Amino acid sequence: MAKASTGTLYRGNEGMWSWVAHRVTGVGIFFFLLVHVLDTALVRVSPEAYNAVIGTYKTPVMAFGEIALVAAIAFHAFNGLRVILVDFSKSGPKNQKKLFWGVMIIWLIIMLAFIPRQMMHTFGG
Amino acid sequence: MSTTSIPAPRTGYSRHKSTRSKFEMFAWLFMRISGIVLVILIFGHLFVNLWAGEGVQAIDFGFVAGKWASPFWQIWDLLMLWLAMLHGTNGLRTIIMDYAEKPGTRMSLQVILYIASIVVIVLGTLVIFTFDPCPAGADPALLASFCQA
């Protein structure tokens, strides 16, 4: 792996992997969004059609899909705010690694809160 | 003898006169501004639809009707639709520019992307503005309680 002395501080570290994850989650969220607007559009077809498709979101399998969706959104949102701080804050670039770990901690807290909540909604209790 | 004007030293040197459009700069700035607004809009959306009450289990036609009976949620969802679609479309445009190298591939992927985006934005906008919470002839059991009047 390249070292700082050879001219890159970026490759292979937090900066690069957060960039990769930002792209992957962004593409995933975009394709979900296309599907989600189409399924919501069924409210203009009939209440039955909409309830049928939204019913598939309530199954245990899709409950895990929603956890994956929230995980992708939470990472993309807070890493996006990190990118903004790196771009606009004077001390942002210097602290980009700390900011990355800050993003991971906030992401973990959100997931630790959402996963049991989602389990409760899906399986009762 | 023609006179040659020699610029005074240290008058500054412009590497390239800005002849190109500022589109890319606006796109860059839009990603950051829309991103901040989307954090609020989407976490609000997730809180109301996945966290509060019974979460996703509570969502049905009546739930949507109840939300869109209020202009607050109509505007919330409309803003979310437009900002998220433009943010996502520009993100995918960036990715196509980065990885698709052949001009034909770049062009066709972009055309597909823009058509899909326009269809989804127009469809979503029409759905929000033409939504009827109490459609005539529908099973009253599936409708919001305010439809019985």
Side-chain angles (χ1 to χ4, degrees):
Chain A
M1 196 207 298
K3 293 285 192 301
S5 57
T6 63
T8 175
L9 289 160
Y10 192 75
R11 194 171 171 190
N13 292 318
E14 291 91 336
M16 186 189 97
W17 290 112
S18 64
W19 173 85
V20 171
H22 203 74
R23 293 206 150 180
V24 172
T25 53
V27 172
I29 295 163
F30 183 74
F31 282 102
F32 168 74
L33 179 59
L34 298 183
V35 174
H36 187 47
V37 174
L38 296 179
D39 67 56
T40 305
L42 289 175
V43 294
R44 288 291 287 118
V45 175
S46 73
E48 287 84 357
Y50 180 75
N51 288 352
V53 78
I54 207 71
T56 64
Y57 280 90
K58 302 176 187 178
T59 60
V61 173
M62 280 303 283
F64 289 99
E66 283 136 25
I67 289 170
L69 177 70
V70 169
I73 290 172
F75 174 81
H76 197 88
F78 286 99
N79 191 58
L81 295 177
R82 168 180 162 272
V83 169
I84 292 170
L85 284 176
V86 170
D87 284 345
F88 290 107
S89 157
K90 213 168 187 179
S91 55
K94 198 177 65 193
N95 293 316
Q96 66 96 0
K97 286 189 184 185
K98 282 181 199 159
L99 286 168
F100 171 78
W101 291 107
V103 169
M104 293 317 288
I105 289 167
I106 296 169
W107 178 83
L108 194 66
I109 292 169
I110 290 173
M111 296 319 290
L112 287 177
F114 180 66
I115 292 170
R117 180 83 184 166
Q118 177 76 345
M119 292 295 104
M120 215 177 84
H121 286 148
T122 308
F123 299 106
Chain B
M1 196 175 119
S2 65
T3 51
T4 313
S5 69
I6 300 167
R10 295 177 195 170
T11 44
Y13 161 69
S14 167
R15 185 177 288 271
H16 102 278
K17 300 272 186 296
S18 181
T19 50
R20 287 195 294 178
S21 81
K22 291 200 162 48
F23 175 78
E24 290 301 337
M25 198 274 280
F26 280 116
W28 179 89
L29 195 60
F30 172 79
M31 292 309 265
R32 276 133 189 91
I33 294 168
S34 62
I36 292 171
V37 180
L38 282 166
V39 169
I40 299 161
L41 291 175
I42 291 176
F43 278 118
H45 179 73
L46 291 175
F47 180 80
V48 171
N49 290 31
L50 289 187
W51 181 280
E54 292 168 51
V56 70
Q57 302 297 325
I59 303 175
D60 58 11
F61 185 87
F63 179 93
V64 178
K67 273 184 93 176
W68 283 349
S70 142
F72 177 83
W73 287 113
Q74 281 188 316
I75 293 166
W76 186 291
D77 286 358
L78 187 72
L79 206 57
M80 195 162 61
L81 170 74
W82 278 75
L83 290 178
M85 282 305 298
L86 293 175
H87 187 103
T89 302
N90 191 52
L92 256 82
R93 182 184 71 93
T94 307
I95 289 172
I96 292 169
M97 295 304 197
D98 276 357
Y99 301 118
E101 289 176 8
K102 292 188 199 139
T105 316
R106 285 163 80 95
M107 179 59 83
S108 41
L109 286 176
Q110 278 189 86
V111 168
I112 295 167
L113 172 67
Y114 301 145
I115 290 172
S117 300
I118 290 167
V119 167
V120 168
I121 291 174
V122 170
L123 177 73
T125 305
L126 286 175
V127 166
I128 292 173
F129 283 120
T130 67
F131 177 66
D132 179 1
C134 308
D139 179 358
L142 300 179
L143 302 183
S145 54
F146 57 73
C147 292
Q148 275 101 47

